[in-house]
Amino acid sequence: MTDLREITFAETDLDALKDAEGRVAVFVNGAGQLGRGARRLNRLTKGALARAVADEGWEAKAAGDVVTLAYPVGMEAEAVDVVRLERRPTVAEARKAGATLARIAGGSPLTILGETLPRLPQLLLGLSLRGYAFTDHKSDKGKAPAPAHVFCSKPDETEAACKEALALAEGVFFTRDLVNEPANVLTTTEFADRLVALRDLGVEVEVIEEDRLAELGMNAMLCVGQGSSAPTKMVVMRWNGGSGDPLALVGKGVVFDSGGISLKPSVGMEDMTMDMGGAGVVSGVMKALAQRKAKANVVGLVGLVENMPSGEAVRPGDVVRSMKGDTIEVINTDAEGRLVLCDVLWYAQEHVKPAAMVDLATLTGACVVALGHENAAVFSNDDGFAEAFLKSAGSEDEGAWRMPMGKAYDDMLKSPIADMKNIGGRPAGSITAAQFLRRFVRDDMPWIHLDIAGVASRKTDGPFAPKGATGWGVLALDRLVRDRFETKEG
């Protein structure tokens, strides 16, 4: 598993800057005003720092941009990184500054003159998130990043203030590791075992095996995995940190999706190891909540299956009965995620009795066509709940866009031989998928469906993640919990 860069906190020691190894980061505002630490560095660099921020190009730089003084005379450090940042930056600016430092520093030791920077926790979150690298299966794993040393005025208080931000980074890393794993490693059993390990953090974890799933009537989910030798499982994770009815987070956990009998094209099929992205996000949120001791009740439920073709596989044209009791004509076995989610959603309402539900899934290619890789699709039966999530996602700079629903889309699921079909055809594919799930949500249950097919993993580097799994959704859902479900003190 991927570890965060170690971060230590110490009282500001300007005399130690001369002998600091690796890189030294200092923050200067747009006006070029030098704080105490910057003035000391300016003396050590024989005035080079002041000249750098007096240059006319300094004012043109955006918040979080960096000017590097390489191999400064009078210092042991290989570089001084001068970061443009106001004394009271926005969250986005602070995170960008941290991410920029992570890219520049690589694995080198890093000394950060945090002094009294109020957004230091967010800067360190950006530093941690962008420092991620998945190397578990490389023969040459490279060197682990050297520690980052933060100089500040009150190290104990600062470390405590940064603890929650670093807990979020732990949750994002957990999600990224799960999504990046190949399917021969992250089997349904291995996935469940990694979630069981969350018990060490105080999460209650229950693994429900196939025989019990059958007793519960969860035949829609079971039919997806019946062509695979990997056992189908459901894992229920409970974090009991608050009071009242919990928020339920439901994740699609298809550890590999071949399409089943409706076999996918071979080109790009290797990417279907990430089809458990929804379950990965739920798992990361649960870890983050436990790490930061959230004062909220949250239950994470993930359906873990593998969708493979074989003589035992579900066929196009088969009819299965869901846990709810509705029958489903399986038109396309590659529309399997909704068959997993519908049973887990119904289980959540029957056995968890939540205050609200959010499900996440890499559900449709149609979502990627509609929104690309910038936004997740948001569907909901509750305007207030949807707006709350969109606000949370916006505050965490995680793209999300609300999509329409309605009877005309729902009518596209009508079947001549069963209560519904599992697909509605090519038009509005992400919407009809959401309409399918809506049929398994009670009218009085606030519910959001997040189609994360375009944002769970990317082929190019992003501002806070290298190419591969992004961990999208961990920050937004944690923010939703804080703002709407956490017990307020006082």
Side-chain angles (χ1 to χ4, degrees):
M1 302 297 285
T2 306
D3 295 322
L4 270 62
R5 181 195 289 262
E6 181 186 355
I7 298 175
T8 62
F9 299 83
E11 188 80 32
T12 301
D13 183 357
L14 298 179
D15 292 333
L17 292 176
K18 180 177 182 297
D19 299 317
E21 297 180 350
R23 307 180 78 94
V24 177
V26 63
F27 307 98
V28 178
N29 65 17
Q33 297 171 329
L34 305 186
R36 187 168 68 104
R39 291 195 298 270
R40 181 57 179 269
L41 283 173
N42 187 51
R43 289 196 296 273
L44 288 172
T45 60
K46 313 300 183 186
L49 193 154
R51 291 191 295 273
V53 300
D55 184 274
E56 62 182 18
W58 179 255
E59 289 188 8
K61 291 194 176 297
D65 286 351
V66 173
V67 169
T68 295
L69 307 177
Y71 301 103
V73 175
M75 297 181 66
E76 290 294 321
E78 65 188 61
V80 171
D81 295 313
V82 187
V83 185
R84 176 168 175 173
L85 204 63
E86 301 303 318
R87 281 188 56 80
R88 296 191 179 279
T90 66
V91 168
E93 289 168 347
R95 289 182 183 176
K96 176 189 172 183
T100 300
L101 289 175
R103 287 195 298 270
I104 293 173
S108 298
L110 179 62
T111 300
I112 299 173
L113 279 173
E115 299 187 278
T116 58
L117 189 68
R119 296 288 190 189
L120 185 59
Q122 299 304 321
L123 185 140
L124 296 181
L125 177 59
L127 176 77
S128 298
L129 292 178
R130 193 57 184 83
Y132 176 87
F134 187 69
T135 61
D136 282 8
H137 304 294
K138 289 181 175 288
S139 297
D140 180 9
K141 293 180 171 54
K143 293 182 179 179
H149 303 289
V150 179
F151 282 168
C152 49
S153 57
K154 297 178 180 179
D156 290 341
E157 291 181 17
T158 303
E159 183 173 4
C162 293
K163 188 174 181 180
E164 287 196 357
L166 297 178
L168 289 180
E170 292 267 12
V172 173
F173 273 35
F174 191 45
T175 295
R176 289 178 182 175
D177 279 352
L178 289 168
V179 176
N180 280 329
E181 284 284 16
N184 63 319
V185 174
L186 194 72
T187 62
T188 56
T189 298
E190 172 64 16
F191 200 149
D193 288 346
R194 293 192 188 188
L195 300 185
V196 167
L198 294 179
R199 289 172 179 166
D200 294 340
L201 299 176
V203 181
E204 296 177 9
V205 183
E206 178 186 10
V207 180
I208 302 177
E209 304 289 354
E210 281 187 347
D211 54 352
R212 177 58 179 153
L213 297 175
E215 290 175 6
L216 289 164
M218 301 179 75
N219 302 306
M221 181 166 72
L222 285 169
C223 85
V224 175
Q226 71 189 43
S228 171
S229 60
T232 296
K233 300 171 183 279
M234 182 171 64
V235 180
V236 182
M237 300 164 278
R238 298 176 184 268
W239 174 253
N240 300 312
S243 59
D245 294 334
L247 169 67
L249 303 177
V250 175
K252 168 189 170 184
V254 180
V255 296
F256 186 77
D257 181 20
S258 69
I261 298 298
S262 305
L263 193 67
K264 291 179 179 290
S266 61
V267 176
M269 195 190 290
E270 69 276 8
D271 293 334
M272 288 299 100
T273 59
M274 52 75 73
D275 208 23
M276 36 58 63
V281 175
V282 171
S283 303
V285 174
M286 298 305 295
K287 182 168 186 176
L289 295 175
Q291 290 274 28
R292 70 174 183 83
K293 307 299 181 189
K295 298 182 184 302
N297 290 342
V298 182
V299 180
L301 307 95
V302 295
L304 306 180
V305 302
E306 184 177 44
N307 186 23
M308 295 288 281
S310 77
E312 301 296 322
V314 66
R315 296 163 291 245
D318 284 359
V319 174
V320 296
R321 186 176 295 277
S322 69
M323 181 182 179
K324 179 186 176 186
D326 291 347
T327 56
I328 304 164
E329 182 186 8
V330 180
I331 300 297
N332 187 329
T333 66
D334 193 25
E336 85 298 333
R338 64 203 70 182
L339 298 175
V340 175
L341 289 173
C342 72
D343 273 349
V344 182
L345 286 167
W346 198 254
Y347 177 93
Q349 292 165 99
E350 288 282 294
H351 294 272
V352 175
K353 303 188 184 307
M357 297 193 301
V358 180
D359 77 72
L360 301 96
T362 50
L363 204 63
T364 66
C367 174
V368 185
V369 173
L371 298 175
H373 298 283
E374 304 306 316
N375 289 283
V378 180
F379 301 86
S380 182
N381 64 351
D382 186 294
D383 291 343
F385 193 29
E387 286 302 316
F389 175 77
L390 290 168
K391 180 180 178 182
S392 297
S395 69
E396 299 299 330
D397 203 24
E398 292 194 316
W401 192 264
R402 191 168 183 190
M403 301 283 280
M405 300 181 73
K407 185 178 184 302
Y409 299 112
D410 192 74
D411 287 345
M412 295 165 68
L413 297 170
K414 289 180 178 179
S415 165
I417 65 169
D419 295 327
M420 70 195 81
K421 302 181 294 185
N422 74 324
I423 61 170
R426 289 181 63 83
S430 63
I431 303 175
T432 54
Q435 290 291 163
F436 179 93
L437 296 175
R438 175 67 181 86
R439 292 181 175 219
F440 297 88
V441 177
R442 294 188 175 116
D443 289 339
D444 61 351
M445 175 60 62
W447 161 77
I448 293 171
H449 162 57
L450 300 175
D451 192 332
I452 63 171
V455 295
S457 184
R458 299 183 59 151
K459 295 289 189 182
T460 58
D461 287 357
F464 298 104
K467 64 181 179 180
T470 64
W472 182 100
V474 173
L475 300 183
L477 288 169
D478 177 82
R479 174 56 57 190
L480 181 70
V481 171
R482 290 172 187 265
D483 291 347
R484 195 175 175 98
F485 296 95
E486 200 146 355
T487 303
K488 307 301 180 185
E489 296 182 359

